[in-house]
Amino acid sequence: MNYLKKLFNSQATTSYTKWIKTLSTRTNHLQQQSGLPRLPITDLTEDELMMKETVARLAKEQIAPYVREMEAAGSLKQSVVDMLFDNGLMGVCVDPQYGGAGASFMASIQVIEEISKVDPAVAGLPDIQNSLVNPIIETFGTREQKEKYLPQLCAKLISSFALSESSSGSDAFAMKTTAKKDGDDFLLNGSKMWITNADLAGIFLVFANADPSLGYKGITCFIIERGTPGFIIHKPERKLGLCCGGTCALSFDNVRVPSSAILGGVGLGYKICMSLLNEGRINIAAQMVGLAQGCFDATVPYTMERKQFGKPVFSFQAMQHQIAQIATQIECARLLTYNAVRLKESGKQFLKEAAMAKYFAAEVAQQTTIKCIDWMGGVGFTKDFIQEKYYRDVKVGSIYEGTYNIQLNTIAKQIENEYKT
């Protein structure tokens, strides 16, 4: 007790107060200098908030009515695709000189999160475009490539990112697809698997090894247009979830590609991937957060209406505790995701934080869908209610853009490096 009195005497308290004020002043000064938003990280700028509200409305009005129809058809409705382009959602961060909105990365994250609340499968379309293809072309493309493709990507052209192969999933750079020099051109041979949006895409960013003797240093990124001779797009896979988002295998049989189709230069494919895949993981985290929130929002009202033993299911303390726990986990996943976003926007390292966000958001989303079906009772096990779709859609979150174990490996490696230094 005497120690506590001494610790909290007036002099100590005054010193502590001065220290807090000094720290606050320095923090505010650094935030102003860096241009970062003030805490909390969930605060959105006026433009970001407008994007969030607009996409939420569009998703409710122009996607929600067709969710089951698109899933049954196994493809996106053309009116939904047109809506994404017409409202600038396929070129969110692209420079306005190329027809994009020139918005922040956080704005693009809002697009993914809000669409995923209604249908995570639809979110795959703007996700690939905004987090991978557009920034790769804008960052590594020549002036001619930018002028040719970016305006189309913002207006009408769908794209795909072709990296994975049957023998190179988590070990992405063990690819077998080759690009052999032939005069001024390259001949591509090989195949790709699990290529999102391939059923609709007009251009593909294809990774192939131009010099296998160099290992990953030979990997090169090519822009290949649909319809190129020898380039075959196979029928969409029959999947557990995300059924309306086309995922196809690709084959390359002596596909002739000019040197002008190379992005960044020969052998720079590895650098391109490493610079963008971490950003892509944040987008998947946003997709999982949106999915979890959408499932939660569709379920909690039912627990307030459904009665057992003469009382709403929600009124039972055991239910309240479960719901409160899931709500907390969803918010934690969102905070991890938004923190990774702001780190990326500020130009700071975000490798560990992106992996944490992707890993945790996918885990939380799975747990959320399981609990929501539990809370629904027997009807949650039927296709008459949307919870079972969220339950099927969520599983891929622990697989694509890096499995759970890959994320944990990345996190552990970063921790090891931190403690070694």
Side-chain angles (χ1 to χ4, degrees), residues 200-234:
L200 300 176
I203 66 165
F204 297 74
L205 299 194
V206 178
F207 291 81
N209 203 320
D211 189 347
S213 67
L214 297 177
Y216 72 87
K217 292 183 179 180
I219 295 173
T220 304
C221 181
F222 296 86
I223 303 176
I224 299 182
E225 298 183 3
R226 192 184 196 93
T228 301
F231 176 33
I232 301 171
I233 303 168
H234 298 276

Side-chain angles (χ1 to χ4, degrees), residues 31 269 351 366 387 393 396:
Q31 288 174 336
L351 173 59
Q366 286 199 43
Q387 284 76 10
D393 287 348
V396 74

Side-chain angles (χ1 to χ4, degrees), residues 26 53 64 82 117 125 131 156 164 174 233 238 260 273 278 311 319 327-328 334 342 346 348 365 371 389 405:
R26 289 177 179 174
E53 293 172 346
D82 292 341
K117 289 178 182 179
L125 197 58
S131 72
K156 60 181 179 180
S164 296
I233 303 168
R238 296 176 61 195
S260 60
C273 280
N278 293 320
K311 298 191 299 183
M319 279 295 298
T328 302
R334 180 176 289 109
R342 293 307 190 195
S346 68
K348 297 180 180 178
K371 284 296 184 182
K389 180 181 181 299
N405 286 340

Side-chain angles (χ1 to χ4, degrees), residues 228-245:
T228 301
F231 176 33
I232 301 171
I233 303 168
H234 298 276
K235 65 180 182 180
E237 303 286 351
R238 296 176 61 195
K239 299 177 296 184
L240 172 70
L242 303 184
C243 296
C244 73

Side-chain angles (χ1 to χ4, degrees), residues 19-77:
W19 178 76
I20 287 293
K21 287 182 177 179
T22 301
L23 180 62
S24 178
T25 300
R26 289 177 179 174
T27 300
N28 291 338
H29 178 65
L30 288 173
Q31 288 174 336
Q32 290 168 2
Q33 280 189 325
S34 63
L36 291 174
R38 295 178 182 273
L39 296 176
I41 57 175
T42 49
D43 275 0
L44 302 176
T45 66
E46 185 177 342
D47 288 343
E48 291 164 353
L49 183 59
M50 185 180 299
M51 180 70 78
K52 177 184 177 70
E53 293 172 346
T54 299
V55 177
R57 176 180 55 79
L58 291 170
K60 181 179 180 180
E61 295 175 356
Q62 300 190 43
I63 298 176
Y66 307 111
V67 169
R68 288 301 195 183
E69 176 186 333
M70 291 190 294
E71 181 172 60
S75 60
L76 293 171
K77 193 175 179 67

Side-chain angles (χ1 to χ4, degrees), residues 93 99 139 166 176 180 199 216 231 239 265 298 300 369 373 395:
C93 302
T139 303
S166 58
K176 303 299 183 183
K180 185 178 180 180
D199 57 332
Y216 72 87
F231 176 33
K239 299 177 296 184
V300 173
T369 60
I373 289 178
K395 188 65 197 106

Side-chain angles (χ1 to χ4, degrees), residues 12 16 37 48 150 193 204 224 240 270 301 307 326 354 361 393 395 408:
Y16 176 77
E48 291 164 353
L150 288 176
M193 293 285 289
F204 297 74
I224 299 182
L240 172 70
Y270 177 81
K307 290 187 177 181
I326 291 297
D393 287 348
K395 188 65 197 106
L408 293 174

